[in-house]
Amino acid sequence: MATAATSVHHFSSNPFNPRSSAGLRRPSSASHLVVRCCDEAAVEVAEKRKTAVVKNGNDSLEICRVLNGMWQTSGGWGRIDRDAAVDAMLRYADAGLSTFDMADHYGPAEDLYGIFINRVRRERPPEYLESVRGLTKWVPPPVKMTSSYVRESINVSRKRMDVASLDMLQFHWWDYSNLGYLDALKHLTDLKEEGKIKTVALTNFDTVRLQKILENGIPVVSNQVQHSIVDMRPQQKMAELCQLTGVKLITYGTVMGGLLSEKFLDTNLTIPFAAPPLNTPSLQKYKRMVDAWGGWSLFQGLLQTLNKIATKHGVSIPTVAVRYVLDQPGVAGSMVGVRLGLAEHIKDNNAIFSLVLDDEDVSSILQVTRKGKDLMKIIGDCGDEYRRV
């Protein structure tokens, strides 16, 4: 981070810059050289910040730090056309956004990935395939976790995604009082040793259970949790354990289903038709988080602050929101939902990699967020929103 900021500052304060040296004259070719150096430096900074490695022991996986979240294929965001969706996946991957996150219960997500990966095999060079990642989740009912049951379940995902080995299997469990989750994870580890899974990970586990899992010798590489500028719970306990153990965080809800965007800036939800409708499952979910955190008025203050920062850097509000979370301790990657074939945010997503938030930006964000309520006290630790009635 410091290196990136230093590089950008170095080029912006170049003595050949006419803004800092108005009296100096130089050949036009020098101007082109400076611009080219600036461009190359920005590209180099962005490329270095584009990927992260999640690992535990001998298990490791390199992922794009901005992941394409595929919850939006599950039905509540509009009808998905299969061919248009796969075409969109190729555009994201072609733009370097080549890590896709899905789950066994996200409608046709795993099937779409299977079609997509086959097109990659046919239509792209072999080295292209090496950068593509398909991360999925397994969310089983609380039945007895036998070896055969776990194996059969994972085979379904392998078949749907049309891969011999899953890049990452992220495991979710509903009821901590049922210790079957440890059995399931041990069987998943066996499947990893067999080559059916490359890395085992978690989703929506709390800090206590993550530590318990690690103490049982299960080599999880990451835990996927809800994390945004509004929901900073992962930084209160989870990030410290991650720093100690090397487990990374992959975050979702980072743009709050689109609430953290220009679309909702200067809107009033209490007046009919004065704001865009909350017409998707994610918008409805994260509006409840806003209510718990401090309400719509405080949220508008946050959006106004983010808009000033976005304008200053020539980017969008979602770009600032994701960059802020990526800069938090323990965070390897952040999810941005993709409405495949319906809307695209490739340019905004790629801008995240070159954006450097300065101390003034961070301070202005903290001035607003410190006015919000402590969601750890209201909701509990990571994932507790799924386990509290």
Side-chain angles (χ1 to χ4, degrees):
M1 182 73 176
T3 304
T6 303
S7 299
V8 172
H9 176 73
H10 170 75
F11 282 99
S12 64
S13 59
N14 190 297
F16 291 105
N17 190 319
R19 292 182 179 177
S20 58
S21 309
L24 291 177
R25 300 186 66 184
R26 63 197 184 287
S28 60
S29 59
S31 172
H32 295 154
L33 176 62
V34 172
V35 171
R36 192 176 301 115
C37 287
C38 291
D39 290 344
E40 289 173 359
V43 169
E44 185 178 350
V45 167
E47 287 304 312
K48 285 181 178 178
R49 307 170 95 209
K50 202 161 194 174
T51 62
V53 175
V54 292
K55 62 183 179 180
N56 190 325
N58 295 324
D59 303 339
S60 69
L61 188 73
E62 185 176 47
I63 61 172
C64 180
R65 295 200 71 198
V66 176
L67 298 91
N68 305 313
M70 294 179 67
W71 182 29
Q72 282 77 358
T73 65
S74 60
W77 289 261
R79 181 181 174 274
I80 295 290
D81 177 84
R82 187 190 72 176
D83 294 337
V86 174
D87 286 344
M89 293 174 75
L90 282 166
R91 287 193 294 274
Y92 274 90
D94 287 344
L97 300 163
S98 55
T99 298
F100 296 84
D101 179 90
M102 64 214 85
D104 59 343
H105 63 291
Y106 287 1
E110 290 184 335
D111 301 302
L112 290 171
Y113 185 85
I115 299 167
F116 158 74
I117 203 68
N118 270 297
R119 281 194 60 186
V120 169
R121 290 167 184 151
R122 293 194 310 269
E123 301 173 15
R124 301 293 187 272
E127 60 270 20
Y128 183 107
L129 188 62
E130 295 173 9
S131 67
V132 176
R133 298 286 181 265
L135 285 49
T136 194
K137 305 180 195 73
W138 182 40
V139 185
V143 298
K144 187 171 179 59
M145 292 289 118
T146 64
S147 176
S148 60
Y149 180 77
V150 175
R151 181 181 298 273
E152 289 166 9
S153 300
I154 298 315
N155 281 342
V156 171
S157 288
R158 290 173 59 229
K159 183 176 180 180
R160 291 179 70 190
M161 295 172 68
D162 201 6
V163 292
S165 180
L166 299 174
D167 289 325
M168 180 185 288
L169 192 286
Q170 301 165 101
F171 175 70
H172 175 87
W173 191 252
W174 294 104
D175 181 9
Y176 291 144
S177 66
N178 180 342
L179 294 179
Y181 67 89
L182 292 174
D183 297 325
L185 284 164
K186 287 171 182 174
H187 295 317
L188 289 172
T189 302
D190 291 340
L191 291 173
K192 178 185 67 68
E193 296 300 323
E194 292 177 23
K196 304 269 192 312
I197 301 169
K198 293 175 185 172
T199 54
V200 174
L202 306 173
T203 181
N204 289 313
F205 273 79
D206 65 9
T207 309
V208 171
R209 255 54 61 161
L210 172 57
Q211 184 165 0
K212 186 182 183 75
I213 288 164
L214 293 171
E215 288 171 351
N216 274 267
I218 298 163
V220 298
V221 298
S222 62
N223 185 21
Q224 188 176 136
V225 295
Q226 183 173 296
H227 193 351
S228 67
I229 292 178
V230 166
D231 185 0
M232 295 293 289
R233 288 176 297 154
Q235 295 304 318
Q236 293 184 243
K237 290 172 63 178
M238 181 72 68
E240 183 179 359
L241 179 60
C242 289
Q243 298 280 79
L244 290 171
T245 61
V247 173
K248 296 295 186 181
L249 297 174
I250 295 175
T251 75
Y252 66 88
T254 310
V255 296
M256 304 189 75
L259 287 178
L260 284 169
S261 70
E262 286 79 2
K263 186 176 181 180
F264 288 91
L265 177 65
D266 297 328
T267 61
N268 188 342
L269 293 182
T270 64
I271 302 174
F273 309 111
L278 302 178
N279 57 358
T280 69
S282 52
L283 285 172
Q284 293 158 13
K285 172 182 179 178
Y286 295 114
K287 171 57 166 60
R288 293 192 292 271
M289 298 299 298
V290 168
D291 293 341
W293 172 69
W296 196 249
S297 177
L298 180 59
F299 187 69
Q300 282 300 310
L302 176 60
L303 284 179
Q304 288 158 8
T305 297
L306 295 178
N307 190 50
K308 288 177 183 176
I309 296 169
T311 302
K312 167 183 165 182
H313 292 283
V315 297
S316 68
I317 288 175
T319 298
V320 175
V322 177
R323 182 73 258 169
Y324 185 83
V325 171
L326 282 177
D327 289 342
Q328 301 303 312
V331 176
S334 290
M335 207 82 57
V336 178
V338 287
R339 299 179 68 182
L340 299 171
L342 299 175
E344 283 187 8
H345 303 285
I346 291 173
K347 184 179 178 181
D348 280 354
N349 291 0
N350 263 325
I352 294 164
F353 301 116
S354 53
L355 174 61
V356 178
L357 298 177
D358 59 34
D359 291 344
E360 181 185 28
D361 299 330
V362 173
S363 177
S364 63
I365 290 170
L366 289 173
Q367 284 178 21
V368 181
T369 57
R370 284 172 179 154
K371 298 175 185 176
K373 295 176 184 175
D374 184 350
L375 292 180
M376 183 77 89
K377 292 179 180 177
I378 297 170
I379 301 172
D381 200 2
C382 301
D384 281 358
E385 60 268 31
Y386 294 99
R387 297 178 180 90
R388 290 189 173 187
V389 179

